[in-house]
Structure formats: structure tokens, C-alpha cells
Amino acid sequence: MEITNVSEYEAIAKQKLPKMVYDYYASGAEDQWTLGENRNAFSRILFRPRILIDVSKIDMTTTVLGFKISMPIMIAPTAMQKMAHPDGEYATARAASAAGTIMTLSSWATSSVEEVASIGPGIRFFQLYVYKDRNVVAQLVRRAERAGFKAIALTVDTPRLGRREADIKNRFTLPPFLTLKNFEGLDLGKMDEANDSGLASYVAGQIDRTLSWKDVKWLQTITSLPILVKGVITAEDARMAVQAGVAGIIVSNHGARQLDYVPATIMALEEVVKAAQGRVPVFLDGGVRRGTDVFKALALGASGIFIGRPVVFSLAAEGEAGVRKVLQMLRDEFELTMALSGCRSLKEITRDHITTDWDIPRPRPLPRL
């Protein structure tokens, strides 16, 4: 069966993967309300396309933190990709590089920063969890710098792990043949079996619950790399992020895996964009499955989007070729959406190209009597 859209990869991944692994990738926190909402909220945004515009040439290129990429579609950090496919993060890095876009490597990758760098050129960001032992953090940041990573995406919504009931039921743990490669030499690469979720126990033991804005300042003293904060969903925190001197904000609810009943990221996006006042770029993470979703995010002020689950599901289904296809399908759909909306470049995508069900109704011209 020919795959014609991104969402079709999920069913194939479900067939192929062990239940524990599929559930880890697919599930959200508690009732999983936000998990559904991350997708559903996109359907409450409709287009106002402009017609009779010459759309014979469409330019999707953009720059992120000064790096030129082929399209505003990037790869979010997702952990433990070798559970999906033996090539894991190598395959994802190659696919991102071939597509001319950015890959973000997870702290909890099953391939190290050095291994991923070894696949060759590419613009890569490193997602960082802050461990209780700050020497571990400093060492990891230095290794990412040396391996040529261009930015740090600091995850700020995980002082504790969300309650992911599928992982509790499955007693989730990293398969014994895999390790969290970045921590292998530090004796932090293995995950113990636990009475609930092995990952929740690992986080409780290792990740620092005291993480605060002062640690963002500390991070700026140990690295010259730009720092993005990932996990901002309110105007208040967006303003604090700007004040703290971050290079960018990723609007994210951690794939609906942390606090349930937070809004969909596409719903939170505009609030954050307005609060940032154009002083830093704002990106969207969560729920993107179509090129139309990408356009909607940009119309609401995002500078680009990140995809997570589509990467691991396509990786499980077809390895590197699957990830390449996901990036290509999203690119093609986004280009078509731009053409049919009358936009030839990203700067032509405006708030007027969409209407949302939370907009104030537009005044209608009065009928002539």
C-alpha cells in the first residue's frame, strides 16, 4: 500500500514495534486529553486564501538562528530512536541533512553526539536535560559544542516526569541491548527495571527538580551556543525567557506527555508570539501532521515547526527512507498550501490568511438596500 500522508506511518509502526516501545512513543499523560487536542485544535483554524496571484515560483527557505534551511520544518528531539529502528538517530540525522533541515538530538538518544556528528555535515541542535550533577551537564554541553552542534534546546517542562500510564502498565524500560549513549561513560546510561515506569524512576533519581531561571543564566556562562527554551506555553514565561536572554522559544507541551489539560500548542502559540514582541523567534512543537498545519503555525507567528512522533513512526516503518519521505510529504503539502493560499514566500504568510474559532468575528459589509 502506497503511503500518501504522514499519519499513515503510525499504524505501520504499531504493527511493527513491540507494544512497550509503540506505547512509549505514542502515549500521552494521564487522560491524554491534550494528546488529542494537539491534533484537533488545528481543525479549528480555517484558511482565507487569496486568489489570482502568480504562484509559479514558491520559496520556502528560511533562516533559523542565522542558519539557512530549505523549509521551516525541523526535527524535534525524540528519545531512544534505536528502539524504533537499528539505525536510530543515524538514520534521522541523514534524512534531515538530505532534506536541508535541522535535527535536534535528544539527551536520551541511543547514539552519542559524536556518533551523530560522524555521519557528516548538517545543522544539528542538542536537546538538554539538566541533571542533578552539574558536571555531567557541563561535560555534555562541551561535547555537543565539540561535535559541531549549533544550539542547545533546553527542556524546561520536566522537573518531574509526567504520569504516562501506558509506561506504568508496561513497566517501560530501555531494552537491555541499548544504552543512553551520551551517558554511557558516566554510569548513567542504563535504566533499571522498576515497579512502574523505569524512565520515571530514572528521572526522579537524576533530573534536577530545582531547575530555575538562574540555571538558564548559568548555562549561558558555560557555553557560547545559542539557547532555546523548549516548553513555554504562556505569555508570562515568554516574557521571562526574553528577559533571560534566550535565543528563541519553542512552544511545546512535550508531546502532551507532561501536564495533561494544558492547551494544544497551536492554541498557546499566538499568546507566546505576542509576548515575545518579535525580540526572539518562536517555534511550534506538537501535533503537526500536515503541510496545512505548518502554514497555520506560521500564520499565527511561528518562525518554524518541529515534528517528533512522525519521525519515530516513519523510522520504525522504513528507517531513513521513511523519515526522508515524511519530510518530503510535509514539504510538498506545505508548498501546495502556500500556492493555493496565494503566498510565494514565508514572509507573505500573514494572520489574514487564516481565521480561528477564537477570533473576534470580522465586521461584514452592510448589504445595500
Side-chain angles (χ1 to χ4, degrees):
M1 180 196 76
E2 190 189 348
I3 288 171
T4 53
N5 66 65
V6 167
S7 296
E8 286 172 347
Y9 275 117
E10 181 164 359
I12 300 170
K14 189 173 186 178
Q15 282 172 343
K16 278 196 158 185
L17 293 171
K19 180 174 163 50
M20 179 189 81
V21 172
Y22 171 78
D23 285 354
Y24 169 72
Y25 290 142
S27 65
E30 296 187 355
D31 297 331
Q32 304 192 117
W33 182 84
T34 299
L35 184 67
E37 189 67 5
N38 267 357
R39 281 294 310 123
N40 298 337
F42 279 102
S43 65
R44 300 200 289 274
I45 303 168
L46 303 179
F47 293 121
R48 301 182 68 250
R50 302 301 307 275
I51 52 154
L52 294 175
I53 291 167
D54 175 355
V55 290
S56 56
K57 289 190 180 70
I58 300 238
D59 179 14
M60 290 180 283
T61 61
T62 188
T63 56
V64 170
L65 304 183
F67 298 100
K68 190 161 190 189
I69 55 174
S70 67
M71 57 183 175
I73 301 163
M74 298 166 281
I75 293 182
T78 50
M80 311 178 225
Q81 291 179 12
K82 282 187 181 176
M83 293 195 307
H85 188 276
D87 295 343
E89 293 84 2
Y90 287 94
T92 304
R94 284 193 290 262
S97 196
T101 193
I102 291 164
M103 173 199 182
T104 316
L105 183 70
S106 169
S107 272
W108 295 338
T110 38
S111 314
S112 68
V113 287
E114 293 84 4
E115 287 172 332
V116 170
S118 76
I119 69 126
I123 305 155
R124 301 181 193 103
F125 293 173
F126 181 69
Q127 175 272 334
L128 182 68
Y129 281 118
V130 175
Y131 279 58
K132 290 173 182 173
D133 182 345
R134 291 308 155 90
N135 292 328
V136 167
V137 180
Q139 208 176 319
L140 202 49
V141 168
R142 273 197 297 276
R143 283 171 57 197
E145 282 180 336
R146 274 203 303 271
F149 284 70
K150 302 298 186 204
I152 301 291
L154 176 69
T155 296
V156 293
D157 59 10
T158 313
R160 296 174 59 173
L161 202 70
R163 184 177 171 82
R164 307 168 189 178
E165 292 175 7
D167 291 349
I168 296 169
K169 281 191 172 71
N170 294 331
R171 302 277 186 267
F172 173 80
T173 190
L174 185 63
F177 57 90
L178 295 173
T179 57
L180 301 179
K181 268 289 199 247
N182 288 316
F183 300 97
E184 203 173 35
L186 301 161
D187 265 357
L188 296 168
K190 281 289 180 197
M191 212 173 283
D192 298 325
E193 302 275 334
N195 293 329
D196 48 8
S197 153
L199 184 63
S201 301
Y202 180 86
V203 168
Q206 301 300 338
I207 301 304
D208 195 343
R209 295 183 186 185
T210 73
L211 190 68
S212 71
W213 288 107
K214 71 177 189 310
D215 297 291
V216 177
K217 287 289 184 203
W218 169 75
L219 207 52
Q220 288 164 337
T221 67
I222 66 161
T223 182
S224 56
L225 292 180
I227 295 163
L228 300 161
V229 283
K230 179 177 181 281
V232 171
I233 49 174
T234 64
E236 295 90 328
D237 283 335
R239 283 191 284 270
M240 290 186 79
V242 170
Q243 278 162 10
V246 304
I249 292 169
I250 302 173
V251 175
S252 172
N253 53 34
H254 211 115
R257 295 155 76 77
Q258 283 299 100
L259 181 62
D260 202 12
Y261 298 98
V262 295
T265 47
I266 193 70
M267 299 281 291
L269 175 62
E270 200 164 25
E271 171 182 331
V272 173
V273 166
K274 283 177 175 163
Q277 297 180 317
R279 287 162 69 185
V280 299
V282 175
F283 304 96
L284 176 103
D285 166 72
V288 173
R289 300 293 180 271
R290 285 277 188 190
T292 48
D293 300 338
V294 180
F295 187 100
K296 289 170 184 181
L298 268 64
L300 286 167
S303 292
I305 65 93
F306 288 89
I307 50 166
R309 286 187 182 89
V311 171
V312 287
F313 291 148
S314 59
L315 185 62
E318 294 174 355
E320 182 187 336
V323 183
R324 281 181 183 236
K325 184 151 187 197
V326 156
L327 291 168
Q328 189 62 49
M329 284 191 293
L330 285 174
R331 181 190 174 88
D332 291 346
E333 289 178 13
F334 177 53
E335 183 177 28
L336 182 59
T337 306
M338 284 179 69
L340 296 179
S341 297
C343 298
R344 294 161 294 198
S345 67
L346 303 192
K347 68 173 184 296
E348 290 188 352
I349 301 173
T350 68
R351 185 62 168 81
D352 289 333
H353 284 97
I354 57 164
T355 176
T356 71
D357 67 0
W358 59 89
D359 281 342
I360 299 150
R362 290 167 180 275
R364 301 207 179 279
L366 294 169
R368 286 215 185 95
L369 295 173

